[in-house]
Amino acid sequence: EKKEKAMKFKYAIGVLLLLAIILSSCDADRVYDRYKEIPKYIWNYEQPVVFDVDIEDTIEFHNMYLNVRHASNYMFKNLYVFISITYPDNKISIDTVECVLGDDKGKWLGEGLGGIWDNKILIKKAFKFPQTGNYKFELKHGMRMDNLPFVMDIGMRIEKYKTSK
């Protein structure tokens, strides 16, 4: 009986390892995907969220997403974000993005569970990085208050662009 239990345990471990390998390889298009938690879920204008991304590919096209996780108590239907990009050669570009988080009737968009909402907002589509090296993305909210409550996490995702066939 002990041998049988040991075999079942080894089998279960093997299945779990195989499942973990399969799930980790499912996202082959991902180049970068990180979230940063907003302290106490209050995003202060003077505390930017910073992502350092090493880019090696200047040939393929990419999509870039801004990920926003917020609580149901968030008081606006949108979120303006100022994105400053410092290129490897220290050139800087600044852009403003409007993240639409809710519709005009007050219904939250994105994926929600238990009062927490996740939104994946496309901010650049089918673009190429002009050079290899480290890119610094600095994000600040552009709302009309210094301390913006109920923003839980800010994330950035860069993935390979796939044309639809």
Side-chain angles (χ1 to χ4, degrees):
E1 189 175 327
K2 284 184 180 181
K3 283 185 180 181
E4 188 177 328
K5 283 184 178 181
M7 288 297 288
K8 285 182 181 179
F9 180 74
K10 287 180 182 178
Y11 178 76
I13 294 295
V15 169
L16 288 174
L17 285 173
L18 183 62
L19 186 60
I21 290 168
I22 290 170
L23 289 175
S24 67
S25 64
C26 286
D27 201 0
D29 294 336
R30 176 183 57 213
V31 174
Y32 183 85
D33 194 0
R34 300 279 188 284
Y35 275 90
K36 299 236 175 138
E37 184 177 334
I38 302 299
K40 299 181 182 177
Y41 305 150
I42 299 173
W43 193 4
N44 181 283
Y45 174 78
E46 294 300 324
Q47 295 175 328
V49 177
V50 179
F51 298 96
D52 286 302
V53 182
D54 287 318
I55 296 296
E56 298 175 6
D57 182 356
T58 59
I59 299 192
E60 289 201 42
F61 288 95
H62 296 85
N63 286 343
M64 185 183 311
Y65 297 88
L66 179 61
N67 296 322
V68 178
R69 183 171 293 135
H70 68 90
S72 292
N73 303 34
Y74 184 73
M75 57 193 76
F76 304 103
K77 69 177 186 173
N78 62 358
L79 170 66
Y80 286 97
V81 178
F82 301 129
I83 302 175
S84 170
I85 304 171
T86 304
Y87 291 75
D89 62 2
N90 289 321
K91 288 184 181 174
I92 297 174
S93 71
I94 299 173
D95 203 357
T96 303
V97 174
E98 179 187 12
C99 304
V100 178
L101 306 176
D103 66 16
D104 290 334
K105 296 179 182 178
K107 181 179 183 275
W108 292 119
L109 305 175
E111 301 287 323
L113 181 65
I116 298 173
W117 294 88
D118 284 306
N119 291 270
K120 182 178 175 183
I121 295 110
L122 179 65
I123 56 175
K124 286 186 182 275
K125 181 178 180 179
F127 76 96
K128 289 184 180 183
F129 286 98
Q131 52 196 274
T132 61
N134 184 271
Y135 287 75
K136 179 181 176 182
F137 296 88
E138 188 172 287
L139 289 69
K140 289 184 171 186
H141 78 75
M143 304 303 280
R144 294 184 178 164
M145 55 187 354
D146 289 343
N147 294 306
L148 185 62
F150 304 114
V151 178
M152 303 171 78
D153 300 283
I154 296 294
M156 172 166 266
R157 178 178 171 91
I158 299 169
E159 62 185 37
K160 294 176 189 172
Y161 173 74
K162 295 290 182 195
T163 56
S164 55
K165 295 181 180 181

